[in-house]
Amino acid sequence: MDALAAVTEHARALLPERAVITDRVRLRTYECDGLTHHRVVPGLVVLPETAEQVAAVVTACARHRVPFVARGAGTGLSGGALPHAEGVLIVTSRLRRILAVRPEDERAVVEPGVINLDVTRAAAPFGYHYAPDPSSRQICSIGGNVAENSGGAHCLKYGFTAGHVVAADLVTPAGDLVTLGSEAPDAPGYDLLGTVIGAEGTLGVVTSVTVRLTRDPEAVTTLLAAFPGTDDAGAATSAIIAAGIVPAAIEMMDALAIEAAEAAVACGYPAGAGAVLIIELDGPAADVHAELATVTRLCADATEVRIAADDAERELIWKGRRSAFAAVGRISPDYIVQDGVIPRTALPEVLRAISGLSADTGVRVANVFHAGDGNLHPLVLFDAAVPGQEGRAEDVSGAILDLCVTHGGSITGEHGVGVDKARYMPRMFTDADLDTMQLVRCAFDPSGIANPGKIFPTPRLCGEVPRKHHAASERPAGAEVF
């Protein structure tokens, strides 16, 4: 019996029949995440319902040295949950219980399959919410958020997932169930929880998460400012932050992104705008009132400023932004969702450079992003049915990441590296940097079975001595090849 067959037999003894999938047609349901141009049919899919079942499956994988990949809601945009053809895909969507909501200590305990927005819904009766809010919050899961250290529109003021998780239960790649972190404000020892958050499932499978709840603000004001172009909108963004104001969110959309949103959801943004800013202020009512006056003044170059009069108008303003990724499908049959970060002050220069790339290549790019923290989400449009278009779109996508790095930024802000961006890691990090990161990975997973092939362009063998990597033509005589 081969290794995968042995794990399959073990899974069938452990789980209900419906929770073990081997039929190839059903397996294809799980061949990709939200980044659909990377596809691999998994060798086996399991849908456990308890942490103990997850641990038992991982233990079997470890015993037989079979690779495994954890998958949440499948909304990721970097191929982080891309399956292994000869491995096990562990789907956590059935671990979806909210185990506790404790407003008295501002905590909630949830399983990884719980949907992001459902945490806020559970906390709302107590006057609390869960602050990280990806645009996919209605469908993405907390486990996936932890794996990617997801952000969202309001991370400018409230921070990413890492700042809102205080503890987690983890099944290690050996199959042990351990608890990381603590509900104490400042637990001693190494920050292993912080190491696991954002590790994209390469260090184990999270089975329970204790999150920090945030008190609802006394007042919230949302405004929409239309500008002639992205230069003006970017200048206004920098001016607002320079004035000492940290809004809950500052989001920007360019003309092409606005066109897509209007086609999809009829959000009613100002006609002819070259760019719009969505600015949300929250906090004590007096502070919000004072900040609104300052923000309105700093948007003096705007062609129009609208202030939401009530929650319904506020939701309409946000509707266009939250629909932006999917809305692009109205104006292009195919597109690449990119994710990079630059300093806020570089926004005008980088956006002009992206516009130049688009003009030079004939590849359209719609820009929609978290302007407040410089997290770009360029949408690179193409038609896969037209020969050569996909290749040109991928070239433009890569060139945008190069722009981010050369301007002091990063190749990812919140979507992760996964399989899609692994080849770009050497543009940010030296061989020594990457070796050090992989030593951490090997400490958790000496057998290299947890989500292999992700993040690193050249996976190292655990036990291999870190050294400079040479191309074949440069390798010193007699050097050992790994």
Side-chain angles (χ1 to χ4, degrees):
M1 182 183 297
D2 67 23
L4 183 58
V7 174
T8 301
E9 184 177 280
H10 183 84
R12 282 183 169 142
L14 174 73
L15 300 170
E17 182 179 354
R18 70 183 190 283
V20 180
I21 300 174
T22 57
D23 176 72
R24 186 167 179 84
V25 173
R26 294 180 64 199
L27 289 173
R28 290 195 63 186
T29 302
Y30 301 94
E31 67 183 357
C32 67
D33 59 11
L35 190 69
T36 58
H37 63 271
H38 292 288
R39 297 175 184 267
V40 174
V41 177
L44 171 69
V45 171
V46 297
L47 294 95
E49 297 181 0
T50 68
E52 291 73 21
Q53 290 175 348
V54 174
V57 171
V58 172
T59 297
C61 289
R63 182 182 305 124
H64 297 283
R65 301 182 75 88
V66 170
F68 67 87
V69 177
R71 173 189 170 109
T75 60
L77 293 168
S78 64
L82 190 73
H84 193 289
E86 298 176 355
V88 181
L89 187 68
I90 301 173
V91 180
T92 61
S93 58
R94 291 184 179 173
L95 283 83
R96 51 175 178 254
R97 294 179 298 165
I98 295 178
L99 301 173
V101 177
R102 303 198 303 265
E104 65 275 10
D105 62 358
E106 301 184 324
R107 301 287 188 269
V109 184
V110 304
E111 291 185 323
V114 171
I115 298 303
N116 176 290
L117 186 57
D118 286 344
V119 182
T120 288
R121 287 171 174 154
F126 306 100
Y128 284 85
H129 66 282
Y130 181 60
D133 61 336
S135 295
S136 58
R137 63 182 185 156
Q138 292 181 313
I139 53 173
C140 67
S141 65
I142 293 297
N145 293 171
V146 170
E148 303 293 350
N149 192 23
S150 301
H154 292 83
C155 66
L156 171 62
K157 183 172 184 177
Y158 293 102
F160 288 74
T161 296
H164 298 269
V165 173
V166 298
D169 291 340
L170 177 82
V171 174
T172 71
D176 299 320
L177 187 56
V178 301
T179 298
L180 303 179
S182 166
E183 295 193 38
D186 188 17
Y190 293 119
D191 183 14
L192 298 180
L193 177 64
T195 304
V196 167
I197 296 172
E200 303 188 27
T202 61
L203 306 181
V205 184
V206 168
T207 58
S208 175
V209 186
T210 302
V211 301
R212 178 179 289 112
L213 299 176
T214 300
R215 187 74 181 175
D216 292 344
E218 179 185 4
V220 179
T221 294
T222 304
L223 62 88
L224 177 74
F227 292 86
T230 55
D231 276 14
D232 307 286
T237 298
S238 294
I240 290 166
I241 302 297
I245 296 172
V246 181
I250 307 181
E251 300 289 293
M252 188 189 299
M253 298 170 66
D254 70 6
L256 194 53
I258 294 167
E259 177 189 339
E262 289 293 346
V265 298
C267 47
Y269 290 168
V276 295
L277 287 181
I278 299 170
I279 305 168
E280 189 153 281
L281 307 168
D282 69 5
D287 290 352
V288 171
H289 180 76
E291 289 176 352
L292 179 61
T294 302
V295 168
T296 302
R297 175 175 55 79
L298 294 174
C299 290
D301 291 333
T303 56
E304 183 178 344
V305 175
R306 298 178 187 171
I307 300 173
D310 51 34
D311 286 346
E313 289 190 7
R314 177 186 172 211
E315 284 304 311
L316 184 60
I317 288 174
W318 277 109
K319 188 176 183 181
R321 167 61 185 90
R322 288 182 177 137
S323 71
F325 288 2
V328 170
R330 294 294 188 101
I331 62 172
S332 178
D334 302 285
Y335 57 94
I336 297 170
V337 180
Q338 197 48 275
D339 168 49
V341 183
I342 57 172
R344 275 190 303 268
T345 51
L347 276 172
E349 182 179 352
V350 171
L351 290 173
R352 283 195 298 271
I354 292 174
S355 179
L357 282 171
S358 178
D360 292 343
T361 61
V363 176
R364 294 184 299 164
V365 180
N367 288 290
V368 50
F369 52 93
H370 311 308
D373 58 6
N375 187 184
L376 305 180
H377 293 311
L379 305 166
V380 184
L381 315 185
F382 66 97
D383 184 349
V386 178
Q389 278 204 12
E390 184 172 1
R392 290 199 301 275
E394 289 178 349
D395 289 344
V396 169
S397 181
I400 290 172
L401 294 181
D402 285 338
L403 283 171
C404 292
V405 173
T406 57
H407 283 81
S410 166
I411 62 171
T412 181
E414 57 184 346
H415 293 176
V417 177
V419 69
D420 189 56
K421 295 185 180 179
R423 65 189 184 278
Y424 297 110
M425 287 288 276
R427 302 187 189 186
M428 282 192 68
F429 301 105
T430 66
D431 286 346
D433 293 332
L434 295 172
D435 271 333
T436 301
M437 292 181 202
Q438 295 200 68
L439 285 172
V440 174
R441 182 173 185 171
C442 288
F444 278 79
D445 181 21
S447 298
I449 61 172
N451 207 11
K454 312 297 167 55
I455 301 179
F456 301 104
T458 309
R460 75 192 310 276
L461 299 175
C462 295
E464 177 185 354
V465 178
R467 59 182 175 76
K468 181 175 177 59
H469 297 280
H470 297 274
S473 60
E474 300 173 341
R475 190 176 295 121
E480 188 172 2
V481 179
F482 292 90

